[in-house]
Structure formats: C-alpha cells, structure tokens
Amino acid sequence: MRDILQLMVVLFCLPGTWAQGESEEAHQGLQTSGQTSTDIWVELRALRDMVVEQKVELTYTKAELQTQRDKVASLEKENAQAAELAALVCRVTTSEKDVTALREELNLSKNELLLSKSRLDNIEKAIAGSPKVAFSAGLTTAGKIGPFNIETPLVYSRVFTNIGESYSPITGIFTAPVKGVYYFRFTAFNNKKGEWMAVNMYHNSQRMLHNSELSDVHSFIANALILQLEKGSVVYMRLHQGNGLYDNASTWNTFSGFLMFPL
Ligand SMILES: *[C@@H]1O[C@H](CO)[C@@H](O)[C@H](O)[C@H]1NC(C)=O
Ligand SMILES: *[C@@H]1O[C@H](CO)[C@@H](O)[C@H](O)[C@H]1NC(C)=O
C-alpha cells in the first residue's frame, strides 16, 4: 500500500519535476536534455512494472485472505460440531445414570425374588421333610368298659387311620416320630344312668387332663389339646379308677391326633 502511495506521489509530481528538469536542462544544453528524458521513461516503466507487481501481490493477498476466511468458517463449523458433541455426551451421561438406576432397581427386584424363592424352597423342604402323621381309632365294639379299681390304659383298638404308624392299637400309646406340635382329641361316652365316667390324657408321665361326668342315659365328654412333643414322647388315654364307659359299633369313644408341624 505504501508503495502504491509513493507511486501516486511520484506520478502527480512528475510534470513539475519534468518541467523543472526541462528548465534546468535548457541551461545545460540539448545533449543532457535528451539523456534526462530517457531516464524518466525508464523510471516510468519501472514504476508501471512495480504497479503490475503490486497488483499481482494484491491478488495473492486477496486469495490468502479468502483462504483464511474459509479456515475461520471451517473452524467455526468445527466449534459448533464440538458443542453438539458435548451436548450429546451430556445426554449419553444422563442416559447412563438412568440405566444405572434401572439396573439397581432390577437388582433389588432380583434380590427380592431370590429371597422369595429361598423362602419357598424352605417351605417346600419343610413340607417334603416333615413326616405325615395322623391317626384316629375307636375304643371297642364290646360294650361296657369298667369300672376298675385302678386307673386303666384305654386301648383304642379300632384303627380308622394310622398314617405313619405312630399310634399302637396294641398298647393305645401314640409315640411322636419327630419333635413338633401335635393336636389330640378324644370323646368319651357312657349310657349307664347314675355311673360316673372319667378319662385322663397323659403326656409321658404327666396327666394333662382329667374330665368327668355323672352319666345319664346318654352322656358325652369331648376335649382336645395341642401339645408340643419331643421326638419319642408318648401320649395316651386312661380310664379313671371307679369310672365306667360304654362303646359299640356306633363308635362313641375315639382317640385321634395329628402332627400340625415339626419343630
Ligand atoms: C446387587 O445386590 C447385591 C445384594 O444386595 C449386591 O451385593 C450387589 O452389589 C448389587 N449389584 C448392583 C449392581 O447393584
Ligand atoms: C350302641 O349304643 C347305643 C347307645 O347306648 C344304643 O342306642 C345302640 O342300640 C347300640 N347299638 C348296638 C348295635 O348295640
């Protein structure tokens, strides 16, 4: 640019210089005047060449400027893409957090499911492992029993059910096959008016109940106990001394029991 300005200054100033030169040359003579004119033309050509050169340089500069502009545009585009990428990364991170939360929830459900399954397995095992115990027997079809001077074992000989064979119809004794909670029930009957009937239920050597009734034409006693038994514990019924019962095919007197659950 400075070069162009210099050139313009030179061009504007040229006529004056020229005139000045001419007037000086007039004093110096014709020979020197012709020499000066040639120099100016040479200088002018040089200047013109310089202008052309500057033009070319300007074209290059413009091209370079365009290149720089393109680069800036490209960089801006890249910048925009980077911002978009950052937003995308942010979204992906959020999604990842969601997935983690869901995974934790799933894990929780899975753990609950496993717990339920384990409980179910335990129940199934308990059911499979628990022995099946249930018995029910009638006393006799023979009619009158007692009274006796001493307390006498009641042997319920008419077995209806004896799952697990834990009840003996020979001795009338039930023996617990496993530690557990058992349910026992009996009925007692007498039909001799004015005679007392009384029965006792024993757990091993301990009398658990003593139920009595002064008989009318038809008299009944019934009761039940839930007992916690150790394995091998025995439960049985006895007829109290001086008391009578009556039984026949109608099954008035029964002794029943079953295992509710093992312990
Ligand atoms: C899933 O739960 C188990 C038991 O609570 C725990 O040990 C494990 O680290 C959990 N896994 C995940 C991915 O949360
Ligand atoms: C059984 O006993 C009841 C009550 O005493 C009596 O009514 C019934 O006739 C008896 N049955 C037999 C077959 O003896």
Side-chain angles (χ1 to χ4, degrees), residues 9-241:
V9 168
V10 168
L11 283 176
F12 278 118
C13 297
L14 213 52
T17 315
W18 209 335
Q20 204 185 353
E22 259 180 341
S23 64
E24 278 174 12
E25 278 158 10
H27 296 284
Q28 284 168 359
L30 274 168
Q31 277 181 323
T32 45
S33 165
Q35 183 64 45
T36 311
S37 164
T38 311
D39 286 350
I40 287 165
W41 281 114
V42 167
E43 205 173 312
L44 263 176
R45 262 190 222 110
L47 281 169
R48 195 193 58 191
D49 290 348
M50 207 190 290
V51 168
V52 170
E53 228 171 81
Q54 294 295 331
K55 250 190 185 169
V56 170
E57 215 170 286
L58 189 65
T59 308
Y60 276 130
T61 307
K62 268 187 182 166
E64 207 173 303
L65 188 66
Q66 190 54 47
T67 307
Q68 293 300 330
R69 271 195 191 134
D70 288 351
K71 265 191 197 164
V72 166
S74 157
L75 278 172
E76 273 174 355
K77 212 167 151 191
E78 267 175 39
N79 208 22
Q81 279 173 350
E84 237 170 82
L85 194 65
L88 205 64
V89 166
C90 184
R91 247 182 279 157
V92 166
T93 308
T94 310
S95 299
E96 270 175 359
K97 276 181 194 154
D98 284 349
V99 167
T100 305
L102 279 173
R103 254 199 208 134
E104 272 165 17
E105 228 171 275
L106 196 68
N107 194 30
L108 225 66
S109 303
K110 205 174 135 197
N111 287 339
E112 269 171 39
L113 196 70
L114 284 175
L115 208 69
S116 300
K117 195 180 170 294
S118 128
R119 275 191 200 140
L120 197 67
D121 284 351
N122 282 346
I123 291 168
E124 272 176 358
K125 240 184 267 167
I127 290 170
S130 123
K132 292 170 177 65
V133 183
F135 76 95
S136 194
L139 190 56
T140 179
T141 53
K144 193 70 198 150
I145 303 143
F148 306 112
N149 298 332
I150 53 164
E151 189 183 38
T152 309
L154 287 168
V155 180
Y156 299 79
S157 56
R158 300 173 59 216
V159 170
F160 301 120
T161 309
N162 197 6
I163 308 295
E165 305 290 329
S166 299
Y167 173 72
S168 165
I170 311 297
T171 61
I173 294 171
F174 171 83
T175 307
V178 291
K179 179 180 181 177
V181 176
Y182 294 79
Y183 177 94
F184 295 97
R185 184 174 192 273
F186 76 88
T187 62
F189 177 81
N190 200 1
N191 59 2
K192 190 168 180 187
K193 196 173 160 66
E195 184 181 88
W196 278 94
M197 68 165 160
V199 291
N200 307 320
M201 188 189 284
Y202 281 82
H203 172 197
N204 295 331
S205 59
Q206 191 182 356
R207 192 171 78 179
M208 306 305 291
L209 64 79
H210 166 77
N211 289 173
S212 62
E213 180 74 52
L214 180 61
S215 186
D216 201 349
V217 182
H218 275 193
S219 290
F220 246 117
I221 303 171
N223 210 341
L225 285 178
I226 291 170
L227 299 175
Q228 183 178 325
L229 306 182
E230 294 298 320
K231 181 179 175 178
S233 289
V234 292
V235 176
Y236 51 90
M237 300 293 297
R238 278 182 167 175
L239 175 64
H240 201 70
Q241 60 267 31

Side-chain angles (χ1 to χ4, degrees), residues 189 191 218 246 248 250 252:
F189 177 81
N191 59 2
H218 275 193
Y246 178 87
N248 63 14
S250 295
W252 301 99

